[in-house]
Amino acid sequence: DSGVTQTPKHLITATGQRVTLRCSPRSGDLSVYWYQQSLDQGLQFLIQYYNGEERAKGNILERFSAQQFPDLHSELNLSSLELGDSALYFCASSVVHRGGTEAFFGQGTRLTVV
Amino acid sequence: GIQVEQSPPDLILQEGANSTLRCNFSDSVNNLQWFHQNPWGQLINLFYIPSGTKQNGRLSATTVATERYSLLYISSSQTTDSGVYFCAVSRRDNQGGKLIFGQGTELSVKP
C-alpha cells in the first residue's frame, strides 16, 4: 500500500458527460500529481499541485481541470468526455530526498467512456 | 524534452531465469525510479535510484548517471514477476518532480 488513495477504482460513463476523480496524498506530502495511462500514449503527466497551488502543467486538455484543497486532497475533473478519454488515471504524491523527489502512486481510476 | 528508452520491449522467461532490463535517458536527471505495473494495473515502487546500486531481495538496480542509463536485474524470476516494468525520470532542472516515463518492458514469466 503506497498510502495514496484514489476513488473510485472504476468508472463507466457516456460520451459528453463529466466525472470527478478524487485523490488523497500520503500523510505529510504536499504535492499531488495526476497522470494518464492510455494504450497509445503510455503514461503521461497531466498536472501537479503543491500545497494548493498549481506547480506544473503537462499535456492536459482544456476539458480537464484539477484543484487541490486545503486538506491537500485533489480532484481531477474531466468534462465533455470522448471515447478517447478512456484510460487509467493515476494520482501520485512525493517525498523530497536530497537532490530529488520520490513519487508514490495510487491504485488508479479506470475510466471507460461508452 | 528528455527522452527515456527502455529495452527490450518484451521479454519471455522461464521461471527461475535471470534477466536485465535497461533504461537509457537523454539528459541529466535528479530522480530515477523503477516501477512494476502488475496485471491489475497497480504501479508498485521498486527503486528510487538516481545514482548508485541498490538491492531488494531478488531485485537489484544500478544507475550510472554520468552515462545516462539504469539497469534493473531480476534474479530467479517467479510468475508473480510478470507485468510491465517502467523506468521514469525527472530532469535536474525540473521544478516539481514530474516524471517522464519510458514505454516499459513487458515481462512474462512462464511456469
Side-chain angles (χ1 to χ4, degrees):
Chain A
D1 183 4
S2 68
V4 179
T5 304
Q6 286 188 250
T7 56
K9 287 190 173 55
H10 302 275
L11 202 47
I12 301 175
T13 190
T15 54
Q17 295 299 304
R18 172 189 168 95
V19 297
T20 297
L21 313 184
R22 184 187 169 99
C23 169
S24 293
R26 296 180 341 143
S27 177
D29 289 351
L30 301 179
S31 277
V32 167
Y33 308 76
W34 288 97
Y35 291 83
Q36 179 194 58
Q37 185 177 29
S38 60
L39 283 175
D40 54 345
Q41 296 291 324
L43 265 157
Q44 291 210 314
F45 167 75
L46 295 178
I47 197 164
Q48 180 205 357
Y49 279 80
Y50 179 85
N51 203 19
E53 300 288 327
E54 183 184 303
R55 186 85 177 262
K57 217 167 189 176
N59 296 326
I60 187 167
L61 299 172
E62 283 191 12
R63 301 183 285 107
F64 296 1
S65 65
Q67 55 185 325
Q68 186 179 28
F69 295 87
D71 66 352
L72 301 177
H73 90 271
S74 178
E75 293 180 354
L76 179 66
N77 300 296
L78 315 176
S79 62
S80 303
L81 284 166
E82 302 175 359
L83 296 178
D85 298 326
S86 295
L88 193 48
Y89 291 84
F90 286 104
C91 168
S93 68
S94 62
V95 61
V96 177
H97 296 288
R98 188 180 67 173
T101 59
E102 180 178 6
F104 295 86
F105 283 76
Q107 291 187 317
T109 294
R110 190 173 296 277
L111 173 67
T112 303
V113 182
V114 298
Chain B
I2 191 168
Q3 304 295 316
V4 182
E5 294 181 359
Q6 292 186 241
S7 60
D10 303 283
L11 191 55
I12 300 175
L13 298 175
Q14 285 299 126
E15 205 166 21
N18 302 329
S19 61
T20 301
L21 281 57
R22 187 175 179 104
C23 171
N24 293 333
F25 44 95
S26 61
D27 206 343
S28 297
V29 298
N30 64 354
N31 176 11
L32 188 144
Q33 291 184 249
W34 284 98
F35 297 91
H36 174 214
Q37 187 167 37
N38 64 21
W40 294 272
Q42 290 178 281
L43 275 173
I44 298 162
N45 285 43
L46 296 178
F47 293 102
Y48 167 79
I49 188 164
S51 64
T53 297
K54 289 186 178 179
Q55 180 154 9
N56 184 3
R58 296 182 296 104
L59 273 59
S60 64
T62 294
T63 297
V64 184
T66 52
E67 296 187 24
R68 298 182 185 168
Y69 73 89
S70 183
L71 302 173
L72 177 68
Y73 306 95
I74 304 173
S75 64
S76 304
S77 58
Q78 300 175 359
T79 56
T80 51
D81 295 332
S82 296
V84 184
Y85 289 80
F86 288 103
C87 167
V89 303
S90 60
R91 288 183 56 158
R92 184 163 294 281
D93 60 356
N94 174 260
Q95 292 187 354
K98 69 177 186 184
L99 289 171
I100 299 155
F101 282 80
Q103 290 301 306
T105 292
E106 185 161 8
L107 174 65
S108 179
V109 181
K110 305 295 187 186

